[in-house]
Amino acid sequence: MSETESGSAGPSTTTGEIEAALSAADLEWRAVGADDDAFTVAGVRPAYVCAPASVDEVAATVKAASAAGRAVIPRGAGTRMSLGFPPRAADLVLQTTGLNEIVEYEPADLTVTVQAGMTLGAIQERLRAEGQMLALDPPAAETATIGGLIAANASGPLRLMYGTARDIVIGTRVVNADGIVSKAGGRVVKNVAGYDLNKLYVGSLGTVGVIVELSFKLHPLPANEGMVVAAFKTAADAAKPIAALMRSPLGPAAIEVLDAGAAASLPDGLAVDGDGVVLVVSAQGFEKAIQRQLRDIQALCDQATGVQSIREGETLTSVWAALRSYSDPSAADLALLKLAVPPARGTVALATAHTAAQEAGFMPQTGAHAGSGVVYLRLQPDTWTTGALANLAALVTRLRGFARGEGGSLVLEACPLAALQGEAGIDPWGDAGSGFPVMRSLKENLDPKGTLNPGRFVGRL
Amino acid sequence: MAHGTVERGIAGEVVKSALVEELERALGADAVLWRPYDLMLYEYDGSIDKSRAQAVVFPRSARDVSAIIKACNARGVPYTARGAGTGLSGGAIPSQGGVLISFARMNRILDIDLANLRATVEPGLVNLRLSQAVAHEKLLYVPDPSSQKACTIGGNVGENSGGPHTLRYGVTTNHTLGLEFVLPDGEIVETGGSALEYPGYDLTGLYVGSEGTLGMATKVICRLVPMAESVKTLLVVFPTIAAASTAVGGIISRRIIPAALEMMDNLCIQAVESKAKVGFPLDAEAVLIVEVEGLAEEIESMAEEIDAVCRGYDALDIRIAKDEAERARVWAARKGAFGAIGAITPDYYTVDGVVPRSKLPEVLAEIGEISKRSGQRIANVFHAGDGNLHPLILFDEDVPGETERTIEAGADIMRLCAESGGSLSGEHGIGMEKKDLMPLIFSEDDVEIMQRVKRALDPAGYCNPDKLFPTPGRCLEMFARKGSAVGW
């Protein structure tokens, strides 16, 4: 089934009914042509695309689709549509890019409320003018919408210092599956009133509500920055300084490890080969503290070669670009595996993924948020032959077994569509554990008709 | 007695109910309290309400908890979890009777994983014990409620507790990585773990702060963090509350997030000094306690900045704790402030609310007006850095009218928080106390979605009922129940 399928012919209504419902609600929508694959979701072409301009219009759209028994696929800028199973149905793609305003920004409160369709890049630009930032640095931040990033729970190297979406989202407004609009949390940084549904929506892939507005806790932009880059013969050699750093009071902003494949995108002179790895440690804050950190970090890297500090300029910028590219899921014909293990096992996971990928015939690019135990394995063969697809499936099984053995998990964040299809199709999420019945019950209570992203989440919820 | 498990015999003597006998068979007779005299001790938490359970049980394992819940379900009896009972919103009160599950015997540290900076603990562990257990490794568990010598990790998880040092490092939810909990159907589930990402909904995050209404935690995986290398604690004296609260915003706007930023007003300073001489100036209208942490090199820079900012807002005096002993005295005074207030008034009521930091000056001025209007003195001691107010309303329940005026003043403060874009609770929870105020900040639709989540996990509704959700048909009432004002 490599050909594009057309949107499911939902059993409950004819297409006329949803058209009538959308038109009755005075919404702008358009039918998707037979040769238009711009909005196709994992091979399923939607019948309609709608880009509401307000929260009320999003609500009306979802309500109309739900009433007509139709499936809605929420979409931001489309940078992470590769995540999850192919949808069971995709009648209407609901694009949030029309919701692109800052709702409230009071710099003195270090909080901001934005509409979900704003790009993270545009938000950061506004905050930067006040010396502040949203502490989230996932790949493709310039183009990705904030709603999509939160729904996909995307993160980047700075998660070591600032945490992930769950740590900075303080309020969420969503359109629920039947079109009602509700909020959780609020606009203050400390708040325990009501259930913390922010946590439910983060990473839920739009399956229990369409995120339309988000409030965040902000951070001051760091005054200064510095970086230590060091090459090691093996990942195991890098483990020692990382362990020492994690127990130290130095508080680095990021600890990243790249294998030879991922390090190839580093600026000239920083690459390694074979089983070598590059360790990158970022220090941010007051100048005096950075000088101390860089000195101490360098001392910890006594078994490394080519240790250097980078303070500013183009090199710093291009190292950051490399650190944010290895986990970018938005390229075509890419397989991207994300392993999460207890942090101290991060370098072991990196080496295991690197070696296993080589043994499976791939040229791996492997990078790790090593202080967080999150490892990305990126595979981009020239062509995805049947053999390569089979090798990918075997690799996912093997590495998932490894990750689970370590007490962690593996998610396949992107892959060629064919890898998900057929009898031997890969489960991109894996087993959700003993909590799965609760997850199913949540989905059934919050979206009983299966309106939102049906079939795409864990266990095909 | 809607859910009675204690029954009267023919002669009026107390006899065991069938449920008590079943619980004794399952857990042992020493794990069940059922005589009214014993049950009285468990009627309260740190809040206003009280209600007596018909049995208190002391499980030792998740299997025990599961057995208790299944026995309750079979008989249609509600059940409520209890840690140390220090909660301030009634979360641990068995408001509809039934079975109270005390976690006092599940208080072990099961594992300390130094390499991964994790600790796995049972819910009955006292908060401070965890930090003490890892102090020699120069590690700590961050959330530090003022009650940390008594409150339990499980209770903290239930309420998503905070504390002074959560300004920079986050609250309980940011330090809870995984849970084992028993669902309201008695099944045991594990969520999260030592890694930071798992597929599926974030059930750990959903559970934290659910006030014991979605199940009973039986294991908690906590994050440990390295202690800061250096700490500096500044005590800054201000001529007015307005100056102090404006300075709070001034500090934050200088790219400094202190580890803690606390405020005390004059009434509170007087109370604290009358109990223990810390050296707070008695004539100061407000003091800020500002603590900065980090590398030795950077806290100097931070302290200098803070000094400059505070002087710009008319600070009268800035003192830096000269050693660990002095620092400890300042914190003992801050954490003992509620107790000190208790010594100068027969009764007080602690209000917990949040406002945006930038609104602090006007909100504190308005609280002053509320105090004047009501005639009740109000002391302020709170987490200024994150806008989390704790006005303490002083009253004497034996003086006619004072209780009512206190109730009204508390409700006025809650309205004030809501109107300024804030929240009804920063760290104490909604519980029984504020459930009927929820409409101040949540619409019917907001509450309906939360109800759907409750139904998804607890369709039968026996798990800590009567908490958090507004009573249908009742609106905007706080504490005005059954005239009980004992034990505030």
Side-chain angles (χ1 to χ4, degrees):
Chain A
M1 193 168 71
S2 59
E3 290 291 294
T4 299
E5 254 181 63
S6 65
S8 81
S12 53
T13 55
T14 65
T15 49
E17 285 180 48
I18 186 165
E19 292 182 8
L22 291 171
S23 299
D26 204 17
L27 295 165
E28 298 228 355
W29 53 272
R30 69 176 179 85
V32 174
D35 54 353
D36 179 359
D37 276 333
F39 293 95
T40 295
V41 190
V44 187
R45 182 186 298 129
Y48 305 97
V49 175
C50 186
S54 69
V55 171
D56 286 347
E57 285 187 16
V58 176
T61 305
V62 174
K63 197 169 189 173
S66 166
R70 293 296 174 154
V72 174
I73 308 289
R75 185 188 201 271
T79 62
R80 282 157 178 83
M81 294 303 282
S82 53
L83 191 55
F85 287 105
R88 216 166 20 243
D91 299 301
L92 174 77
V93 164
L94 192 165
Q95 220 181 341
T96 59
T97 45
L99 304 175
N100 58 2
E101 313 245 307
I102 289 191
V103 178
E104 186 177 276
Y105 178 33
E106 177 53 69
D109 291 333
L110 276 176
T111 58
V112 72
T113 299
V114 298
Q115 288 190 315
M118 273 192 90
T119 65
L120 178 53
I123 297 169
Q124 300 288 32
E125 194 183 322
R126 174 72 186 89
L127 303 177
R128 201 155 38 232
E130 302 288 341
Q132 299 181 350
M133 65 172 187
L134 206 162
L136 197 64
D137 65 332
E142 288 302 316
T143 46
T145 65
I146 191 64
L149 290 170
I150 298 306
N153 195 15
S155 62
L158 290 176
R159 61 179 292 162
L160 180 65
M161 179 174 261
Y162 299 101
T164 54
R166 79 192 298 280
D167 301 298
I168 55 173
V169 174
I170 56 175
T172 316
R173 187 178 300 277
V174 304
V175 171
N176 296 94
D178 47 5
I180 76 172
V181 182
S182 69
K183 72 149 201 243
R187 296 182 184 181
V188 284
V189 295
K190 203 169 170 194
N191 187 356
V192 298
Y195 289 151
D196 187 358
L197 302 186
N198 298 315
K199 302 293 187 291
L200 177 64
Y201 298 128
V202 169
S204 67
L205 206 70
T207 55
V208 283
V210 183
I211 298 173
V212 290
E213 199 176 289
L214 289 154
S215 296
F216 291 95
K217 168 180 176 172
L218 302 176
H219 288 82
L221 277 171
N224 298 286
E225 183 182 10
M227 209 178 243
V228 173
V229 181
F232 291 84
K233 281 203 199 77
T234 65
D237 291 342
K240 206 184 92 186
I242 294 172
L245 262 175
M246 293 298 288
R247 283 296 301 272
S248 80
L250 289 173
I255 303 177
E256 299 277 299
V257 178
L258 310 179
D259 75 352
S265 60
L266 287 170
D268 290 344
L270 298 177
V272 287
D273 51 26
D275 289 333
V277 298
V278 176
L279 170 68
V280 181
V281 183
S282 159
Q284 300 183 346
F286 286 96
E287 180 57 31
K288 284 180 191 164
I290 290 178
Q291 288 172 11
R292 153 87 186 283
Q293 287 195 69
L294 297 181
R295 202 168 57 235
D296 286 8
I297 295 163
Q298 289 201 23
L300 288 171
C301 295
D302 56 348
Q303 307 209 333
T305 56
V307 182
Q308 56 175 293
S309 330
I310 302 171
R311 286 310 311 268
E312 56 196 5
E314 281 177 31
T315 318
L316 196 71
T317 310
S318 44
V319 173
W320 272 113
L323 297 180
R324 296 211 176 93
S325 66
Y326 67 75
S327 62
D328 190 344
S330 55
D333 285 330
L334 166 78
L336 185 67
L337 288 70
K338 179 178 74 182
L339 291 84
V341 295
R345 301 292 287 170
T347 48
V348 173
L350 178 119
T352 304
H354 170 86
T355 307
Q358 279 183 331
E359 286 170 10
F362 294 102
M363 302 263 288
Q365 294 175 280
T366 321
H369 306 315
S372 309
V374 175
V375 177
Y376 288 88
L377 171 61
R378 188 182 180 85
L379 308 172
Q380 269 178 307
D382 294 335
T383 51
W384 282 99
T385 59
T386 316
L389 289 170
N391 289 341
L392 174 64
L395 183 62
V396 167
T397 304
R398 176 176 168 188
L399 290 176
R400 185 167 274 156
F402 160 78
R404 292 184 67 88
E406 295 286 339
S409 66
L410 182 149
V411 170
L412 182 61
E413 290 204 335
C415 67
L417 180 56
L420 300 177
Q421 296 173 328
E423 294 259 317
I426 303 172
D427 177 343
W429 301 103
D431 184 0
S434 59
F436 183 69
V438 179
M439 296 179 197
R440 191 171 49 214
S441 180
L442 284 165
K443 172 72 175 175
E444 285 169 358
N445 275 269
L446 290 162
D447 183 13
K449 293 164 83 174
T451 302
L452 299 175
N453 260 343
R456 289 180 75 192
F457 205 43
V458 285
R460 297 184 191 271
L461 287 179
Chain B
M1 218 183 287
H3 302 285
T5 58
V6 177
E7 289 162 8
R8 299 272 163 185
I10 293 163
E13 80 282 14
V14 176
V15 298
K16 288 180 197 174
S17 68
L19 176 57
V20 166
E21 287 186 350
E22 186 183 337
L23 291 170
E24 284 189 347
R25 272 196 305 279
L27 278 77
D30 72 335
V32 185
L33 296 178
W34 57 276
R35 291 185 176 83
Y37 177 81
D38 294 328
L39 297 174
M40 280 172 66
L41 284 170
Y42 294 87
E43 287 178 352
Y44 306 101
D45 66 358
S47 72
I48 167 184
D49 292 285
K50 63 172 184 170
S51 178
R52 194 177 301 176
Q54 278 86 46
V56 181
V57 286
F58 300 87
R60 289 186 183 278
S61 67
R63 286 181 57 183
D64 283 356
V65 175
S66 174
I68 295 163
I69 289 178
K70 284 178 175 168
C72 288
N73 285 341
R75 291 167 199 275
V77 171
Y79 52 90
T80 298
R82 181 185 174 93
T86 57
L88 290 164
S89 58
I93 294 175
S95 58
Q96 294 186 7
V99 172
L100 190 64
I101 304 175
S102 165
F103 285 89
R105 290 178 187 171
M106 289 178 69
N107 63 351
R108 293 173 301 165
I109 296 174
L110 299 173
D111 180 51
I112 290 176
D113 177 356
L114 293 174
N116 289 302
L117 302 177
R118 311 282 188 251
T120 305
V121 308
E122 290 184 322
L125 179 73
V126 169
N127 174 300
L128 188 59
R129 293 262 180 272
L130 180 52
S131 282
Q132 286 171 339
V134 294
H136 67 285
E137 296 284 351
K138 293 207 153 79
L139 298 174
L140 81 156
Y141 173 64
V142 166
D144 61 338
S146 293
S147 57
Q148 71 181 135
K149 287 180 192 164
C151 66
T152 64
I153 299 281
N156 295 167
V157 165
E159 302 294 331
N160 192 12
S161 305
H165 287 87
T166 56
L167 171 60
R168 180 162 175 176
Y169 301 104
V171 293
T172 300
T173 193
N174 308 106
H175 297 271
T176 305
L177 299 171
L179 296 169
E180 175 190 80
F181 69 98
V182 183
L183 289 168
D185 65 2
E187 291 301 306
I188 300 168
V189 298
E190 288 180 344
T191 69
S194 288
L196 291 176
E197 297 201 6
Y198 293 91
Y201 300 126
D202 178 4
L203 299 180
T204 308
L206 180 63
Y207 184 93
V208 176
S210 63
E211 306 193 10
T213 64
L214 300 178
M216 305 277 127
T218 46
K219 220 180 259 178
V220 185
I221 303 178
C222 303
R223 183 199 299 274
L224 302 174
V225 302
M227 283 179 190
E229 177 182 85
S230 303
V231 180
K232 250 194 198 335
T233 307
L234 293 85
L235 197 65
V236 190
V237 181
F238 286 92
T240 61
I241 289 180
S245 47
T246 316
V248 169
I251 292 168
I252 302 278
S253 70
R254 292 291 187 95
R255 299 187 175 184
I256 300 171
I257 307 289
L261 182 41
E262 303 280 301
M263 196 193 295
M264 286 202 259
D265 70 3
N266 181 267
L267 185 50
C268 198
I269 293 166
Q270 304 249 7
V272 164
E273 280 293 316
S274 69
K275 200 176 160 206
K277 294 272 174 262
V278 186
F280 294 142
L282 290 173
D283 55 348
E285 281 302 310
V287 296
L288 288 183
I289 300 170
V290 192
E291 188 155 284
V292 288
E293 282 189 0
L295 299 177
E297 290 85 351
E298 65 188 335
I299 64 165
E300 288 299 337
S301 309
M302 288 194 237
E304 283 164 19
E305 286 269 344
I306 290 166
D307 189 284
V309 172
C310 291
R311 289 189 194 283
Y313 292 101
D314 304 332
L316 299 173
D317 188 19
I318 301 176
R319 301 174 197 174
I320 298 178
K322 63 178 186 301
D323 54 23
E324 184 51 35
E326 194 173 328
R327 179 176 168 261
R329 272 201 301 282
V330 170
W331 279 111
R334 163 61 186 92
K335 293 194 176 181
F338 288 18
I341 291 287
I344 63 164
T345 175
D347 305 280
Y348 69 92
Y349 173 65
T350 308
V351 183
D352 171 34
V354 190
V355 299
R357 212 179 267 128
S358 60
K359 300 273 176 63
L360 277 176
E362 61 192 80
V363 167
L364 288 170
E366 186 56 31
I367 289 175
E369 292 301 313
I370 290 170
S371 173
K372 277 185 209 153
R373 272 206 306 278
S374 67
Q376 302 305 131
R377 291 187 296 166
I378 299 180
N380 283 292
V381 46
F382 64 100
H383 313 305
D386 38 31
N388 187 184
L389 305 171
H390 287 323
L392 308 179
I393 308 173
L394 281 52
F395 71 107
D396 182 347
E397 73 157 325
D398 292 335
V399 177
E402 288 213 358
T403 305
E404 291 72 19
R405 289 202 294 275
T406 297
I407 288 166
E408 193 46 48
D412 284 348
I413 292 171
M414 281 294 104
R415 277 186 207 103
L416 179 60
C417 290
E419 283 162 12
S420 70
S423 174
L424 302 178
S425 177
E427 54 186 7
H428 296 170
I430 298 299
M432 301 170 71
E433 179 199 33
K434 290 177 183 167
K435 60 188 185 132
D436 292 321
L437 293 181
M438 286 281 275
L440 281 176
I441 56 169
F442 290 114
S443 71
E444 277 180 32
D445 285 342
D446 301 340
V447 173
E448 165 59 20
I449 297 302
M450 291 181 198
Q451 295 266 24
R452 289 182 194 174
V453 168
K454 168 76 170 168
R455 288 197 290 273
L457 277 91
D458 182 24
Y462 297 133
C463 184
N464 205 13
D466 202 25
K467 307 289 166 69
L468 197 145
F469 292 107
T471 317
R474 195 151 2 133
C475 180
L476 306 185
E477 285 180 41
M478 178 164 69
F479 351 112
R481 292 180 292 275
K482 39 182 206 300
S484 159
V486 189
W488 286 20

